[in-house]
Amino acid sequence: MPDFREKPELTTKNVRSFVRKRGRHSLKTSNLGLGPRRRSDYGSQPLHAEVKHSSRPLRIASTALFAVLVFVLSGMGFMYYDLSNRVAKAELAVEEFVEDEPQDPIDDYSGRAVNIAIIGTDSRYGEGNDRYGAVEGDESMRSDVTIVAHISADRSRVELISIPRDTITTIPSCKLKSGGETYPQQGQFNWAMSVGSEDEAANLDAGIACLWRTTEALTGLDIDEYVMFDFAGFEKMIDALGGVKMCFEEDLYDEQAELDVKAGCQTLNGHDALAYARARKAVGDGSDISRIGRQQELMGRIFHTAKSKNIFTDFPKLYDFLSQTLASITTSSNLARINTSMGLAYSLSGLSGDGLQFVTMPFAEAPWDPNRVVPSWQAEQVWEALANDEPIPPGILVTDSRGNENVVEEKPSETDEFGNPIPQPTDQFGNPVTEETDQFGNPVSTSGQVNGGSNG
């Protein structure tokens, strides 16, 4: 081996030779920890084979997870896109017949109250509706059911106010699709759609707009949106829920409405539920008012059925439900935007059964016609409460989501530490004691006597 200490002059040849020899010496050194150098030292498989075998399950799992993720996301995207198209097709833009000037679309209703007109039409025009007694050449547009749904700003309450279709009211001037306008007129509430549509199915948008304006004129409320069902649409909605369970104390039969259900508890399909909602002459007292009560009971059962199946919070279930129903309903432009409609539906997912109340608009018999009604003074109280986003006022008959009727009671002004009402003090005769006092500061009861002593 060359000794560079003895030969300070280095040449290129000597340096190369030194490096090669030192390299061979290092590879022969056993204590350098370089690992095995023969295949036999690694076992039966080459090193690269062992590494490849150990990472294969991880790569397979990663690939499968990625594929599932892509499938789920693409599936969600497809469902969202599909629903967007379905909702858009359900849109019937009536705002141009309602508003004097175009309004900007609503992206989100959070933090504010919403008033929605829910409309059920008895038109026989359209697919699936002719089986309910179609009259050849009859394309009349009438609202058989109109409900004002008030959704409170905090989403703790939904009040549904049914307007009797035989209510006599003012139908305001309505824009016609032909370009003209109608004159304001007195008439039945359910005539408004016919007035606006001129009894032409092609003018449905103008007909709904006239009903919209009539509802606002009657209630004094700003109606934000509308949803309209026809007979076939209502049937499909019930079938999409898997039916609704209801209990009856007696057999119900109405040939004209195609109703034939037996006493007891049973699950109504779409056809039977619609028949129950339509039945009038052969069930109850034959009035539209008694029919409204049955419709409210049915709507309560629809709500509980949807809640029990997590329709509002389970996207696949919501998709399946909307897929089966959207083709048979029409909505206002804002609700035809999937972000708005689904956002509003999701905001109501926490609504309890106690937060849902049904009210028939308070009415009185029309003086000139016992078969017609007019709004009573209590109706004004209801509309004013909704306008202020307040609960239904005292003295109004309400039906809860389970069909129980109660009159709203006056809430006590004072409560104890547990929230229990503090009873008002009374004198020995049971008369309520007022806050009035005599000249000495003693409280005076309404009976004119001083508590704790006599006037003498």
Side-chain angles (χ1 to χ4, degrees):
M1 179 184 303
D3 188 351
F4 293 121
R5 289 176 298 178
E6 298 177 358
K7 297 179 180 181
E9 294 183 4
L10 300 176
T11 64
T12 302
K13 182 177 179 181
N14 289 338
V15 170
R16 289 175 179 172
S17 175
F18 174 75
V19 170
R20 284 196 296 269
K21 290 180 179 180
R22 293 296 296 175
R24 286 195 295 271
H25 173 75
S26 298
L27 290 175
K28 292 178 182 179
T29 304
S30 60
N31 61 352
L32 294 180
L34 297 180
R37 292 166 297 283
R38 295 184 300 275
R39 179 174 296 180
S40 61
D41 295 327
Y42 291 95
S44 60
Q45 295 293 332
L47 179 61
H48 70 274
E50 283 191 348
V51 174
K52 182 176 180 180
H53 177 73
S54 63
S55 64
R56 185 177 181 184
L58 180 61
R59 286 204 304 270
I60 293 176
S62 299
T63 303
L65 180 62
F66 178 75
V68 170
L69 182 63
V70 170
F71 175 78
V72 170
L73 291 178
S74 61
M76 293 283 285
F78 168 77
M79 288 191 290
Y80 182 87
Y81 177 77
D82 181 52
L83 281 182
S84 297
N85 285 339
R86 289 172 183 263
V87 174
K89 290 179 181 179
E91 174 190 358
L92 192 62
V94 304
E95 288 81 1
E96 62 181 290
F97 298 99
V98 177
E99 305 290 347
D100 294 329
E101 297 181 2
Q103 301 294 314
D104 294 331
I106 300 294
D107 290 327
D108 188 5
Y109 274 115
S110 61
R112 57 161 291 189
V114 188
N115 295 316
I116 302 176
I118 302 175
I119 305 166
T121 175
D122 64 359
S123 173
R124 272 63 171 177
Y125 182 78
E127 183 180 356
N129 294 313
D130 54 355
R131 64 184 294 266
Y132 295 102
V135 178
E136 186 175 355
D138 178 18
E139 295 185 1
S140 59
M141 298 279 119
R142 293 178 297 270
S143 57
D144 198 44
V145 176
T146 302
I147 299 169
V148 175
H150 175 81
I151 303 173
S152 66
D154 62 5
R155 302 301 186 259
S156 66
R157 308 185 324 273
V158 175
E159 290 102 1
L160 297 107
I161 318 300
S162 299
I163 301 176
R165 68 176 193 172
D166 297 331
T167 301
I168 300 299
T169 188
T170 298
I171 301 175
S173 175
C174 296
K175 296 180 181 180
L176 300 175
K177 205 162 186 178
S178 58
E181 293 187 6
T182 64
Y183 290 103
Q185 55 188 286
Q186 288 288 116
Q188 282 188 193
F189 181 81
N190 70 326
W191 293 356
M193 188 178 289
S194 292
V195 170
S197 67
E198 300 178 281
D199 284 333
E200 293 288 340
N203 300 337
L204 179 59
D205 44 4
I208 294 176
C210 192
L211 176 62
W212 187 325
R213 291 176 63 90
T214 303
T215 303
E216 290 187 331
L218 174 66
T219 66
L221 299 172
D222 291 328
I223 301 300
D224 301 297
E225 309 291 346
Y226 83 88
V227 177
M228 190 186 79
F229 294 86
D230 57 15
F231 291 149
F234 186 84
E235 274 197 40
K236 289 183 178 180
M237 179 185 68
I238 299 299
D239 287 335
L241 283 174
V244 290
K245 186 175 181 179
M246 299 190 70
C247 299
F248 308 101
E249 296 181 353
E250 59 183 5
D251 295 346
L252 299 177
Y253 180 78
D254 187 327
E255 182 177 4
Q256 185 172 348
E258 300 182 6
L259 175 66
D260 187 6
V261 297
K262 303 301 181 183
C265 297
Q266 53 190 292
T267 299
L268 302 183
N269 60 19
H271 174 271
D272 291 340
L274 176 63
Y276 182 70
R278 291 181 60 217
R280 178 179 180 179
K281 296 181 178 179
V283 180
D285 62 8
S287 69
D288 182 50
I289 304 302
S290 66
R291 183 177 64 163
I292 286 176
R294 293 190 294 275
Q295 292 169 349
Q296 292 173 346
E297 181 185 7
L298 178 58
M299 285 186 291
R301 296 312 310 156
I302 292 173
F303 170 78
H304 283 289
T305 301
K307 287 280 287 185
S308 67
K309 295 187 176 183
N310 299 320
I311 296 295
F312 299 122
T313 56
D314 190 317
F315 186 82
K317 291 181 179 179
L318 179 61
Y319 169 77
D320 183 59
F321 175 74
L322 292 178
S323 296
Q324 298 182 56
T325 59
L326 285 176
S328 302
I329 68 173
T330 59
T331 70
S332 48
S333 297
N334 286 324
L335 291 185
R337 304 172 73 241
I338 191 66
N339 288 340
T340 304
S341 56
M342 291 194 67
L344 186 59
Y346 184 78
S347 73
L348 292 171
S349 60
L351 181 70
S352 67
D354 294 336
L356 187 67
Q357 290 185 321
F358 300 94
V359 177
T360 300
M361 182 195 75
F363 62 89
E365 182 181 291
W368 61 90
D369 188 345
N371 295 318
R372 303 293 180 268
V373 299
V374 293
S376 71
W377 61 273
Q378 285 184 310
E380 296 299 323
Q381 291 184 325
V382 172
W383 303 133
E384 183 178 359
L386 299 190
N388 296 325
D389 195 23
E390 297 174 349
I392 299 299
I396 304 300
L397 180 66
V398 301
T399 303
D400 65 20
S401 62
R402 300 191 181 280
N404 302 311
E405 293 185 340
N406 294 285
V407 175
V408 179
E409 297 181 356
E410 186 81 45
K411 290 187 177 181
S413 56
E414 297 183 12
T415 57
D416 60 21
E417 58 181 324
F418 304 105
N420 300 314
I422 298 177
Q424 295 297 318
T426 59
D427 60 19
Q428 57 182 326
F429 303 103
N431 298 313
V433 176
T434 68
E435 296 299 325
E436 299 179 6
T437 58
D438 63 7
Q439 56 181 333
F440 304 105
N442 297 315
V444 179
S445 70
T446 55
S447 62
Q449 294 187 354
V450 180
N451 290 346
S454 66
N455 289 331

